Amino acid sequence: MQSEWLVKLPLLQSVIKKKEVLWCNPLVEPVATGLSKTHLSKDDITDASDRLERFAPYLAKVFPDTDTGIIESPLTPIPMMKRELETTYAVNIPGRLLLKQDNALPISGSIKARGGIYEVLKHAETLAIDSQLLDNAKDYSQFDTPAFRELFAMHKIAVGSTGNLGLSIGIMSAKLGFDVTVHMSADAKQWKKDLLRSKGVHVVEYMDDYSKAVEEGRRQAEADPSCHFVDDENSTDLFMGYAVAGERLASQLKAQNITVDEEHPLFVYLPCGVGGGPGGVAFGLKLAFGDHVHCLFAEPTHSPCMMIGMMTGLHDQVSVASFGLDNKTAADGLAVGTASAFVGKTMEPFLTGCYTVEDQTLFMLLKKLADSEGIWLEPSALAGMIGPVQVTKSKLPLADSKYATHLVWGTGGNMVPEDEMKDYYNHTRK
Ligand SMILES: *Cc1c(COP(=O)(O)O)cnc(C)c1O
């Protein structure tokens, strides 16, 4: 299979050599056309957004660091980092550079606080309605009462995760009172397992990779009708939780007087693992900004599962191993060998492209961002950062626009313990 594809898609020759590459999606189409090819719509996002709004009084009560109970992150200009990128790569990046700081999202400090928490809340709401416990005359802070906790204690939630999704699902489910199990792969960090256990979450460990943990978790959950399995690869609830980011970003840009239109394109760079997080966010952005937003996914050179899946059109029928890649990367949130077919197919008309990043580059950028802006991200979250360099050097339309806004999605970091972060900074931990 390999040699045939290498002839058909010459870029794959660089991919198998683990070079940093940019792939431009030939199937990208106007948003209106793309929308006719999916059953997902703006109404689904509005539904998710309204649900999060209903839960705000509850979240504000049980997680005071959410403030108003709306889980959102800052949008931060990073001009010093822009200069660093320009010097390091000897390019001029026209336009401005912003960082969407999902590293600072409340509750679980990563992009998973969007989709993961949303799915748990939706499940809790459904159970409360089905058991006629929900009092429509009261706000949702009623979820923080013994009656609700007793109901949820009779129900299980399970998820398979490399780490951050497990943190979000585990923390939120345990807070509501669910009996929750996180199935974790061998590459998941010890501190994540410890933290979850300290909150009463069951952690099951596997000596295998992410796919194995998910498969085993799914198998055990399916055998138990009281168990809700959070399916990272196929869940539209997760996807919609992420997609709400689109309208949120639109109001943040507006508040900073930043225009997005025909002459002012928005380029967004999203680190991609299995695809749900970046896919959901990109879908939400496409609905919020139409054809003026250009989304690119970033993956490690050792784990470019979405790039390979979309290039070949084989999606989950191909893995990075099919092309001799080992799926070994320090970007643990992105260590995924097979992408979600649901996300890959949904993104086909919407995604501008994918590019790959070496682990060395992630560590170099981590240090530069900390030194120049005082912002600390985990290695996975830096994958977006060379996007503006890749796009500026490319022949993509509007890539040279001085009116462009380049937005790097900083997907995680705040939960990483300080000593671990110091090791990342000094690149002493692999
Ligand atoms: C999960 C994760 C991603 C990617 O999200 P997927 O849904 O797996 O594609 C990116 N960065 C961080 C820090 C993550 O935890």
Side-chain angles (χ1 to χ4, degrees):
M1 170 168 96
Q2 226 204 62
S3 52
E4 223 172 278
W5 283 112
L6 295 183
V7 175
K8 230 189 224 171
L9 303 165
L11 186 68
L12 277 173
Q13 294 172 16
S14 301
V15 174
I16 63 172
K17 285 182 197 143
K18 305 190 263 305
K19 295 255 168 65
E20 293 187 338
V21 299
L22 168 70
W23 169 71
C24 299
N25 177 16
L27 299 178
V28 66
E29 285 182 284
V31 172
T33 322
L35 278 175
S36 68
K37 296 183 175 170
T38 168
H39 64 280
L40 304 172
S41 71
K42 185 139 200 158
D43 289 347
D44 298 310
I45 302 182
T46 307
D47 180 56
S49 175
D50 291 349
R51 184 166 291 104
L52 289 170
E53 202 73 47
R54 290 198 290 279
F55 271 102
Y58 167 71
L59 292 176
K61 189 165 172 218
V62 297
F63 293 113
D65 64 334
T66 59
D67 250 337
T68 56
I70 294 293
I71 304 165
E72 199 41 73
S73 71
L75 178 64
T76 312
I78 45 169
M80 260 95 81
M81 186 62 191
K82 182 169 176 253
R83 230 164 290 146
E84 285 289 332
L85 286 172
E86 291 178 325
T87 333
T88 309
Y89 289 97
V91 290
N92 171 39
I93 302 169
R96 62 164 72 78
L97 181 62
L98 302 177
L99 181 68
K100 183 62 177 149
Q101 283 199 265
D102 275 10
N103 59 301
L105 276 177
I107 304 177
S108 64
S110 83
I111 187 171
K112 305 298 192 313
R114 298 184 183 277
I117 288 173
Y118 172 72
E119 175 151 347
V120 173
L121 294 176
K122 185 177 177 199
H123 182 59
E125 185 187 55
T126 305
L127 290 174
I129 292 169
D130 289 352
S131 56
Q132 296 176 329
L133 193 59
L134 195 67
D135 181 349
N136 284 323
K138 294 187 192 147
D139 77 34
Y140 274 25
S141 59
Q142 64 187 294
F143 278 78
D144 184 38
T145 50
F148 282 78
R149 281 191 290 274
E150 280 158 27
L151 168 69
F152 299 142
M154 294 186 297
H155 292 269
K156 293 179 189 155
I157 290 184
V159 66
S161 170
T162 53
N164 285 344
L165 184 62
L167 284 183
S168 285
I169 301 288
I171 293 170
M172 190 65 249
S173 304
K175 183 64 92 180
L176 281 157
F178 283 104
D179 178 354
V180 54
T181 302
V182 177
H183 299 267
M184 282 192 151
S185 47
D187 48 0
K189 297 277 186 279
Q190 189 58 42
W191 65 265
K192 292 182 182 172
K193 299 172 191 168
D194 296 342
L195 185 114
L196 284 171
R197 288 193 172 116
S198 78
K199 298 194 183 290
V201 176
H202 308 291
V203 177
V204 185
E205 299 178 49
Y206 297 88
M207 291 316 294
D208 224 312
D209 71 357
Y210 161 84
S211 304
K212 180 74 189 171
V214 172
E215 185 189 312
E216 195 52 35
R218 180 183 282 126
R219 200 184 56 76
Q220 289 180 23
E222 273 170 0
D224 182 348
S226 74
C227 187
H228 176 77
F229 181 70
V230 178
D231 188 339
D232 201 8
E233 284 158 50
N234 300 297
S235 168
T236 44
D237 286 340
L238 273 181
F239 195 81
M240 286 307 152
Y242 290 120
V244 172
E247 59 179 45
R248 301 268 184 84
L249 182 71
S251 38
Q252 285 185 317
L253 285 171
K254 206 167 173 193
Q256 295 187 21
N257 289 317
I258 296 170
T259 308
V260 178
D261 63 18
E262 187 122 37
E263 283 96 65
H264 302 79
L266 173 63
F267 289 93
V268 182
Y269 309 100
L270 296 142
C272 179
V274 72
V281 169
F283 184 72
L285 291 170
K286 278 292 181 185
L287 282 165
F289 301 102
D291 298 323
H292 309 313
V293 66
H294 310 274
C295 301
L296 292 102
F297 288 175
E299 297 179 293
T301 49
H302 288 243
S303 311
C305 63
M306 188 60 81
M307 183 190 268
I308 288 176
M310 288 188 77
M311 268 174 108
T312 58
L314 294 174
H315 301 292
D316 62 348
Q317 300 308 304
V318 66
S319 82
V320 300
S322 318
F323 289 92
L325 298 171
D326 61 10
N327 191 26
K328 286 207 165 57
T329 167
D332 52 346
L334 313 181
V336 180
T338 310
S340 157
F342 154 60
V343 174
K345 284 177 192 158
T346 304
M347 290 319 292
E348 236 162 45
F350 299 115
L351 195 70
T352 297
C354 294
Y355 63 86
T356 54
V357 193
E358 283 180 16
D359 279 16
Q360 291 288 341
T361 308
L362 300 177
F363 286 113
M364 181 266 290
L365 295 168
L366 187 151
K367 188 168 188 303
K368 285 194 188 297
L369 183 67
D371 291 343
S372 64
E373 304 278 354
I375 297 172
W376 297 77
L377 301 183
E378 62 188 271
S380 297
L382 271 308
M385 198 59 86
I386 59 157
V389 176
Q390 287 285 17
V391 163
T392 303
K393 291 197 300 191
S394 78
K395 294 193 170 59
L396 281 167
L398 298 168
D400 56 354
S401 166
K402 63 179 176 192
Y403 303 116
T405 296
H406 296 271
L407 190 153
V408 173
W409 214 278
T411 45
N414 276 19
M415 298 288 275
V416 178
E418 214 177 302
D419 58 335
E420 188 116 358
M421 194 54 102
K422 225 174 259 166
D423 286 347
Y424 285 146
Y425 180 88
N426 296 318
H427 198 167
T428 42
R429 189 174 305 218
K430 304 275 160 69

